[in-house]
Amino acid sequence: MSKDNKKTSLRYRLLWPIRNEKWQPITIPVASILFSFIVAAIVILLLGKNPIQAFYNLFQGAGIFPKATYAGYKSMLTDFLSLLDAMTPLVFASLAVAVALRAGLFNIGVSGQMLFSGFIATIIVGYSGLDAFVAKPLVLLIGMIAGGLMGGLVGWLKYKFNIHEVVTTIMLNYIAQYVISFFIHNYYIDPVSRQSKYITEAARLTLVNFEFANLKMDIPLGFILAIAVAIFVKFLLDKTVVGFEIKAVGSNRDAAKYTGIKVGSNMILAMIISGGLAGLAGVTYYLGDFASIQPKVLTSLGFDSIAVALLGNSHPIGIIFSSFLISIIDQGSTYMSSQAGIRQEIASVIIGLILLFSACGAYVKHKVSRLKEKEVDRKDSES
């Protein structure tokens, strides 16, 4: 066996965990996460700290492991419920990115769509005197409609005038940010917090300080809905004609058009669905985890959702698990910083590394495929 063939064979054997193409949608993201934590551990070691202790503190802060002590009315359960509360809008936002990606579109306007939906739901329902049984479902409905309209506008501009969706969504982000800021400052400002006035508890999608078993916990009412919507989106994309046509348009627009699929209509529909999901993210964020809107600020969650969608391989079920992981890192960073003496920005470094390694997934698949071909050729030549 030649030296080059030996190297090829060795590389192929070392990559055995990700060689099976059937399992690559799972094994490659898992490998990305492991590499990210390994690199983060090296950085923490260079800072003179114990990475194992730091990661343990990270999981403690997120409610995965118990803390040594808790404040009054708090426990591991309350921390975990806060994690789910923060995770809920991230699941919706990541699904919004994934649906657009399936149609070959890149929706980076999720933050703007979240803000627009949250603001519309706030002024229509959040400040009303409606009963909770009416207000909460109405908030969700308005969020979907508002986000869907904004997303549909992006799809229509793409179809009608061929304006790239990245440009459109960036511009709409700025428009939403500053127009809504104008209305908040002039009509809805809270003079103390300098944010929009707080919404009524009846309209809020998180039960705050709910007392049970001598604990005060935040219960995310939208979490079960987020899981159900993820399952529905999987069914829609994999088992329906609509999902097939959206994926066909995303794979090859010319071929889809040749087979009779209405490319423009499906692009608009995909962006309406994407925007509707972003709208659900907006109302579960601004009328759930929070109860007001900070003027001139776009939440970073809309941009984090891109990383989550990539890590989850744009698969709805994968997105649930990747949202859970990113939320753990985000929620546990403060406690890790206080206990391990590591700056909170290390959590952002870990998330950035996960995104970096996830973005290399296509390259890894290509290299594995090439090594597999070379290994087959080597065995054929030896036989």
Side-chain angles (χ1 to χ4, degrees), residues 27-50:
T27 55
I28 290 179
V30 169
S32 299
I33 294 167
L34 291 175
F35 280 125
S36 302
F37 274 94
I38 290 170
V39 175
I42 293 171
V43 172
I44 294 171
L45 280 172
L46 293 174
L47 294 173
K49 304 294 182 179
N50 184 342

Short mmCIF file of all heavy atoms in Angstrom, two decimals, residues 27-50:
data_model
loop_
_atom_site.label_atom_id
_atom_site.label_comp_id
_atom_site.label_asym_id
_atom_site.label_seq_id
_atom_site.Cartn_x
_atom_site.Cartn_y
_atom_site.Cartn_z
N THR A 27 -24.90 13.20 13.52
CA THR A 27 -23.52 13.06 13.97
C THR A 27 -22.68 14.32 13.71
O THR A 27 -21.84 14.67 14.54
CB THR A 27 -22.85 11.85 13.28
OG1 THR A 27 -22.96 11.99 11.85
CG2 THR A 27 -23.50 10.56 13.72
N ILE A 28 -22.92 15.00 12.59
CA ILE A 28 -22.12 16.20 12.30
C ILE A 28 -22.42 17.33 13.28
O ILE A 28 -21.49 17.95 13.82
CB ILE A 28 -22.30 16.62 10.83
CG1 ILE A 28 -21.62 15.60 9.91
CG2 ILE A 28 -21.71 18.02 10.59
CD1 ILE A 28 -21.74 15.90 8.44
N PRO A 29 -23.71 17.65 13.57
CA PRO A 29 -23.97 18.67 14.60
C PRO A 29 -23.42 18.30 15.97
O PRO A 29 -22.90 19.16 16.68
CB PRO A 29 -25.50 18.76 14.62
CG PRO A 29 -25.93 18.35 13.26
CD PRO A 29 -24.95 17.27 12.87
N VAL A 30 -23.53 17.01 16.34
CA VAL A 30 -22.99 16.58 17.64
C VAL A 30 -21.48 16.77 17.66
O VAL A 30 -20.91 17.25 18.66
CB VAL A 30 -23.35 15.10 17.91
CG1 VAL A 30 -22.57 14.57 19.11
CG2 VAL A 30 -24.85 14.96 18.16
N ALA A 31 -20.81 16.42 16.56
CA ALA A 31 -19.37 16.63 16.47
C ALA A 31 -19.03 18.11 16.55
O ALA A 31 -18.03 18.50 17.20
CB ALA A 31 -18.84 16.05 15.15
N SER A 32 -19.85 18.97 15.95
CA SER A 32 -19.64 20.42 16.01
C SER A 32 -19.71 20.92 17.45
O SER A 32 -18.89 21.74 17.88
CB SER A 32 -20.70 21.15 15.16
OG SER A 32 -20.63 20.76 13.81
N ILE A 33 -20.69 20.41 18.19
CA ILE A 33 -20.84 20.82 19.59
C ILE A 33 -19.64 20.37 20.41
O ILE A 33 -19.09 21.14 21.22
CB ILE A 33 -22.14 20.23 20.17
CG1 ILE A 33 -23.36 20.85 19.47
CG2 ILE A 33 -22.23 20.45 21.67
CD1 ILE A 33 -24.65 20.13 19.73
N LEU A 34 -19.21 19.12 20.21
CA LEU A 34 -18.05 18.60 20.96
C LEU A 34 -16.79 19.40 20.66
O LEU A 34 -16.05 19.78 21.59
CB LEU A 34 -17.84 17.12 20.63
CG LEU A 34 -18.90 16.14 21.15
CD1 LEU A 34 -18.63 14.74 20.64
CD2 LEU A 34 -18.94 16.16 22.67
N PHE A 35 -16.53 19.67 19.39
CA PHE A 35 -15.35 20.46 19.03
C PHE A 35 -15.43 21.86 19.63
O PHE A 35 -14.42 22.42 20.07
CB PHE A 35 -15.21 20.54 17.51
CG PHE A 35 -14.59 19.33 16.88
CD1 PHE A 35 -15.25 18.65 15.86
CD2 PHE A 35 -13.36 18.86 17.30
CE1 PHE A 35 -14.69 17.52 15.28
CE2 PHE A 35 -12.79 17.72 16.74
CZ PHE A 35 -13.45 17.05 15.72
N SER A 36 -16.64 22.44 19.65
CA SER A 36 -16.81 23.78 20.20
C SER A 36 -16.47 23.81 21.68
O SER A 36 -15.77 24.72 22.15
CB SER A 36 -18.26 24.24 20.00
OG SER A 36 -18.61 24.23 18.64
N PHE A 37 -16.94 22.81 22.42
CA PHE A 37 -16.64 22.77 23.85
C PHE A 37 -15.17 22.46 24.11
O PHE A 37 -14.59 22.94 25.09
CB PHE A 37 -17.55 21.75 24.54
CG PHE A 37 -18.89 22.30 24.95
CD1 PHE A 37 -19.99 22.16 24.11
CD2 PHE A 37 -19.05 22.96 26.14
CE1 PHE A 37 -21.22 22.69 24.47
CE2 PHE A 37 -20.28 23.48 26.52
CZ PHE A 37 -21.37 23.35 25.68
N ILE A 38 -14.55 21.68 23.24
CA ILE A 38 -13.12 21.39 23.39
C ILE A 38 -12.30 22.66 23.21
O ILE A 38 -11.40 22.97 24.01
CB ILE A 38 -12.67 20.30 22.39
CG1 ILE A 38 -13.25 18.94 22.79
CG2 ILE A 38 -11.14 20.22 22.33
CD1 ILE A 38 -13.08 17.87 21.74
N VAL A 39 -12.63 23.42 22.15
CA VAL A 39 -11.91 24.68 21.91
C VAL A 39 -12.17 25.66 23.04
O VAL A 39 -11.26 26.35 23.52
CB VAL A 39 -12.32 25.29 20.55
CG1 VAL A 39 -11.67 26.66 20.36
CG2 VAL A 39 -11.92 24.36 19.41
N ALA A 40 -13.42 25.73 23.51
CA ALA A 40 -13.76 26.62 24.63
C ALA A 40 -13.00 26.21 25.89
O ALA A 40 -12.55 27.06 26.66
CB ALA A 40 -15.26 26.60 24.88
N ALA A 41 -12.85 24.89 26.09
CA ALA A 41 -12.11 24.40 27.26
C ALA A 41 -10.64 24.84 27.19
O ALA A 41 -10.04 25.21 28.22
CB ALA A 41 -12.20 22.88 27.32
N ILE A 42 -10.07 24.82 25.99
CA ILE A 42 -8.69 25.28 25.82
C ILE A 42 -8.57 26.76 26.17
O ILE A 42 -7.63 27.18 26.85
CB ILE A 42 -8.22 25.01 24.37
CG1 ILE A 42 -8.13 23.50 24.12
CG2 ILE A 42 -6.86 25.66 24.11
CD1 ILE A 42 -7.90 23.13 22.67
N VAL A 43 -9.55 27.55 25.71
CA VAL A 43 -9.54 28.99 26.02
C VAL A 43 -9.64 29.21 27.52
O VAL A 43 -8.90 30.03 28.09
CB VAL A 43 -10.72 29.69 25.31
CG1 VAL A 43 -10.83 31.15 25.77
CG2 VAL A 43 -10.55 29.64 23.80
N ILE A 44 -10.52 28.46 28.19
CA ILE A 44 -10.68 28.59 29.65
C ILE A 44 -9.40 28.17 30.37
O ILE A 44 -8.99 28.80 31.36
CB ILE A 44 -11.88 27.75 30.13
CG1 ILE A 44 -13.19 28.34 29.56
CG2 ILE A 44 -11.95 27.70 31.65
CD1 ILE A 44 -14.41 27.48 29.79
N LEU A 45 -8.74 27.11 29.88
CA LEU A 45 -7.45 26.70 30.46
C LEU A 45 -6.40 27.80 30.33
O LEU A 45 -5.62 28.04 31.26
CB LEU A 45 -6.96 25.42 29.79
CG LEU A 45 -7.58 24.10 30.25
CD1 LEU A 45 -7.14 22.96 29.35
CD2 LEU A 45 -7.19 23.82 31.71
N LEU A 46 -6.38 28.46 29.17
CA LEU A 46 -5.43 29.55 28.95
C LEU A 46 -5.69 30.72 29.90
O LEU A 46 -4.78 31.50 30.21
CB LEU A 46 -5.49 30.03 27.50
CG LEU A 46 -5.00 29.03 26.44
CD1 LEU A 46 -5.24 29.56 25.04
CD2 LEU A 46 -3.50 28.75 26.65
N LEU A 47 -6.94 30.84 30.35
CA LEU A 47 -7.30 31.88 31.32
C LEU A 47 -6.96 31.47 32.75
O LEU A 47 -7.18 32.24 33.69
CB LEU A 47 -8.79 32.21 31.22
CG LEU A 47 -9.26 32.86 29.91
CD1 LEU A 47 -10.78 32.97 29.89
CD2 LEU A 47 -8.63 34.23 29.72
N GLY A 48 -6.45 30.24 32.89
CA GLY A 48 -6.07 29.75 34.21
C GLY A 48 -7.22 29.21 35.04
O GLY A 48 -7.12 29.13 36.27
N LYS A 49 -8.32 28.82 34.39
CA LYS A 49 -9.48 28.31 35.10
C LYS A 49 -9.73 26.85 34.75
O LYS A 49 -9.18 26.33 33.78
CB LYS A 49 -10.73 29.13 34.74
CG LYS A 49 -10.59 30.63 35.00
CD LYS A 49 -10.44 30.95 36.48
CE LYS A 49 -10.35 32.46 36.70
NZ LYS A 49 -10.23 32.79 38.14
N ASN A 50 -10.56 26.20 35.55
CA ASN A 50 -10.90 24.79 35.36
C ASN A 50 -12.10 24.69 34.41
O ASN A 50 -13.22 25.07 34.80
CB ASN A 50 -11.23 24.14 36.70
CG ASN A 50 -11.48 22.64 36.58
OD1 ASN A 50 -11.73 22.13 35.49
ND2 ASN A 50 -11.40 21.94 37.70
#
